[in-house]
Amino acid sequence: MIPRVKGTDDILPPESAKWRTLLRAFDDIAARYGYDLAVMPVLETTELFARGVGAATEVVEKQMYTFEDQGGRSVTLRPEFTAGIVRAYLEAGMSGVVKLAAAGPQFRYEQPQKGRRRQFYQVDLECIGDPDPRADVEIIEMSQRLFAAVGVPEVSVHLNSIGDAGDRAEYRDLLRNYLRRVSGDLSADSRRRIDDNPLRVLDSKADAAVVAGAPVPLDHLGPESASHFAAVRSGLEEAGIPYEIAPRLVRGLDYYNRTVFEFFSPAFEAAQSSLGGGGRYDPLAELVGSRTAVAGVGVALGCERIVAAMPNPARPRLDVFVAVADTQRSGTAAAWVRFLRGSGWRVDWTGGDRSLKAQFKAADRSGAAVVAIIGEEWDAGQVRVKRLATGEEAAMNIEEVGAWLKR
Ligand code: AMP
C-alpha cells in the first residue's frame, strides 16, 4: 500500500456528493452574474508569486511548492489563483472589465489539520479592470448567494479597509512605533514582522490581546479610500447584506488595497476558520509587470471548509432505480433506462440478471427515491413504482411515470 501524500485528500462518495452540489452552484451563480470560466495552469513561474503575493508574506516565505523543472526554470504549484489570473489577463492583452470564475486545487506547505490542507480546492471569482465599489459589493453578494445555495448557515461577513499604498505608508510607521513599544509582549513571529510586514501582526491570533490597542488602518484612510469604503458599505446595505466591521482584518497577501473581507459560519469552527476571503487588489497588475494600472477585486472560497459546513444532501442520489422481474425483460429495461436518462432523470440499474431481492438491495444501497419494476404489466403498457422512503406503491402507465416522479 502506498498511502496518499500528507495533507492531501481523496474526495470520494458519499462526501463527494456535496462537492458536486457546491461546484454546480458555483458555476450557476458565476454564469448568472456574467462571470466567464477561466481554466488556469497549476504551474506558474515562481517569480509571479514572489512579486505578486509578496516576498515577505508567509505563503511565499514558507509555504510554496517550488522546484526547478528539467529545463532549469523555477516553477511553483500555485498557492492561490489571483496572481495567475491577472497574469493571464495581461498576457492575453485583455482590457476593460473582465469577470472570471475559476475552480481548482491550490498548494501550500502548511501543518495539516482540520480545514488546513497542503492541497486544497478553491472556487474563485475575479472582477478585473473595475475600480467601482459596486464590484466589491457584487463579489461579496455572489459569495453570500453561494453559501445560501448550498445551505451553509448564518454566514457573517467581516469587512475592513486597509486603504491605499499612500495611506498605508504613514499608518505603517505609526503601527511600527506602537509594536516596538509592546514588542516585549509579542510572539517571536510577530516581533520578526515589525520591520518587513507589520500589518500582519494585527491579525495574529497569538497576539490578539497585545494588538487590541494598536492603531488600525480604518482610522488612517485617505479621502479616496474612505469614500470607496463608504460606498461599499452603503452598497451592502442596499443589497440587504449584513456585515461586521473587523478593524484588524488585513489578509496575508501584499497585493491588497482598500476593501478586504472574510466569511465565517458557526457550522465551521477551527483554528483557522474563514470559509473564504478576498478584497481589492488594484496594485497587483503593476506588481507583476503591467505598465499601466489595472484595478481588480476578487474572492477565493475554500471548498473543504464549505463542504464541512454544508448539511447532508436532502435530495436522493438517484431519481429511479430500475429493477427487472424476469431476465427476459432485460433488453426492454435497458432501453427504458436509456430513455429515462435521455429525458434528464438520474437513473441506475444492475443490468437485470440478478434476483429481484438482490436488485431491491442494490436499490436501497443506491440511495434512489423510487424503484420501478419492469414485469409482466409492461406488456399492458404499465410499470410498478415504489417510493423507498414511504413504501408507497402504485402501478401506472409508462407515459405517466415522469409526471409521477415530478411529484
Ligand atoms: P486565503 O486567501 O489564504 O485567505 O484563502 C482563501 C480561503 O481558502 C480560506 O478562507 C480558506 O477557506 C481556504 N484555504 C486557505 N488555505 C487553506 C488550506 N491550507 N487548507 C484548506 N483551505 C485553505
Side-chain angles (χ1 to χ4, degrees):
M1 243 307 282
I2 300 167
R4 63 198 150 85
V5 171
K6 184 176 173 185
T8 68
D9 299 303
D10 301 317
I11 294 151
L12 301 170
E15 178 83 350
S16 57
K18 293 191 202 174
W19 284 75
R20 185 183 258 175
T21 303
L22 173 60
L23 294 174
R24 283 196 174 160
F26 174 72
D27 193 49
D28 175 47
I29 288 167
R32 278 195 273 153
Y33 280 77
Y35 284 64
D36 291 311
L37 182 64
V39 180
M40 299 302 304
V42 166
L43 280 178
E44 294 278 359
T45 302
T46 303
E47 197 190 352
L48 176 74
F49 301 113
R51 286 185 17 200
V53 172
T57 59
E58 189 146 29
V59 169
V60 172
E61 260 180 3
K62 297 193 212 152
Q63 300 179 337
M64 294 209 300
Y65 280 89
T66 294
F67 59 95
E68 206 170 272
D69 71 9
Q70 310 276 350
R73 307 167 196 88
S74 180
V75 293
T76 294
L77 298 180
R78 65 179 180 212
E80 61 112 46
F81 264 130
T82 310
I85 293 177
V86 168
R87 174 204 50 73
Y89 174 99
L90 297 170
E91 196 165 338
M94 289 171 142
S95 59
V97 178
V98 174
K99 305 206 252 186
L100 297 171
Q106 313 297 334
F107 302 83
R108 294 183 195 173
Y109 195 79
E110 303 210 59
Q111 210 37 55
Q113 51 179 275
K114 183 183 171 195
R116 204 203 265 180
R117 318 299 300 150
R118 287 183 174 167
Q119 173 170 339
F120 59 98
Y121 209 90
Q122 283 182 338
V123 291
D124 182 275
L125 299 164
E126 309 290 353
C127 178
I128 306 174
D130 193 350
D132 195 301
R134 271 181 285 241
D136 312 31
V137 174
E138 180 173 272
I139 291 274
I140 294 171
E141 178 181 314
M142 292 173 76
S143 307
Q144 281 293 48
R145 277 250 153 97
L146 180 63
F147 293 129
V150 301
V152 177
E154 296 167 60
V155 177
S156 54
V157 182
H158 290 196
L159 181 73
N160 194 19
S161 173
I162 57 170
D164 288 322
D167 314 336
R168 270 208 306 275
E170 194 184 317
Y171 165 71
R172 202 174 276 148
D173 287 338
L174 283 172
L175 180 61
R176 275 202 189 106
N177 288 342
Y178 174 89
L179 294 174
R180 284 198 187 108
R181 276 205 307 279
V182 298
S183 69
D185 300 325
L186 288 174
S187 64
D189 261 350
S190 289
R191 251 200 314 275
R192 221 170 12 86
R193 291 205 180 111
I194 295 177
D195 288 319
D196 59 8
N197 201 351
L199 251 69
R200 266 339 290 274
V201 181
L202 276 189
D203 73 350
S204 151
K205 281 231 162 72
D207 300 300
V210 190
V211 297
V216 293
L218 261 192
D219 294 331
H220 300 274
L221 300 183
E224 283 176 7
S225 42
S227 80
H228 186 98
F229 193 55
V232 172
R233 292 183 61 167
S234 62
L236 289 172
E237 280 146 29
E238 277 156 31
I241 299 171
Y243 60 87
E244 294 161 38
I245 299 292
R248 276 171 281 279
L249 171 64
V250 293
R251 314 258 319 127
L253 318 177
D254 274 4
Y255 53 61
Y256 286 111
N257 70 328
R258 301 193 178 182
T259 321
V260 292
F261 49 85
E262 285 185 349
F263 301 95
F264 295 88
S265 162
F268 182 78
E269 314 254 15
Q272 312 235 311
S273 62
S274 72
L275 296 179
R280 183 159 277 287
Y281 49 80
D282 304 332
L284 175 55
E286 284 166 300
L287 287 173
V288 299
S290 172
R291 253 172 278 145
T292 53
V294 181
V297 57
V299 68
L301 306 172
C303 297
E304 286 78 4
R305 297 182 193 180
I306 294 174
V307 164
M310 280 168 66
N312 283 324
R315 189 173 171 220
R317 212 182 133 253
L318 294 174
D319 299 307
V320 190
F321 192 94
V322 174
V324 189
D326 63 90
T327 47
Q328 261 99 331
R329 296 184 190 272
S330 286
T332 307
W336 196 51
V337 165
R338 191 173 298 117
F339 169 79
L340 288 173
R341 286 170 168 166
S343 311
W345 297 104
R346 298 166 307 152
V347 183
D348 208 355
W349 70 315
T350 58
D353 322 332
R354 296 206 245 158
S355 73
L356 201 52
K357 194 170 156 213
Q359 293 181 67
F360 260 89
K361 245 195 186 154
D364 268 327
R365 266 202 310 271
S366 77
V370 165
V371 188
I373 306 126
I374 296 188
E376 55 193 20
E377 314 85 337
W378 187 271
D379 299 332
Q382 289 219 318
V383 64
R384 263 185 299 142
V385 291
K386 179 177 178 185
R387 279 195 207 281
L388 286 171
T390 60
E392 174 199 352
E393 274 195 69
M396 66 185 59
N397 292 331
I398 296 157
E399 312 79 67
E400 290 164 17
V401 172
W404 186 80
L405 286 172
K406 278 201 187 101
R407 271 192 277 120

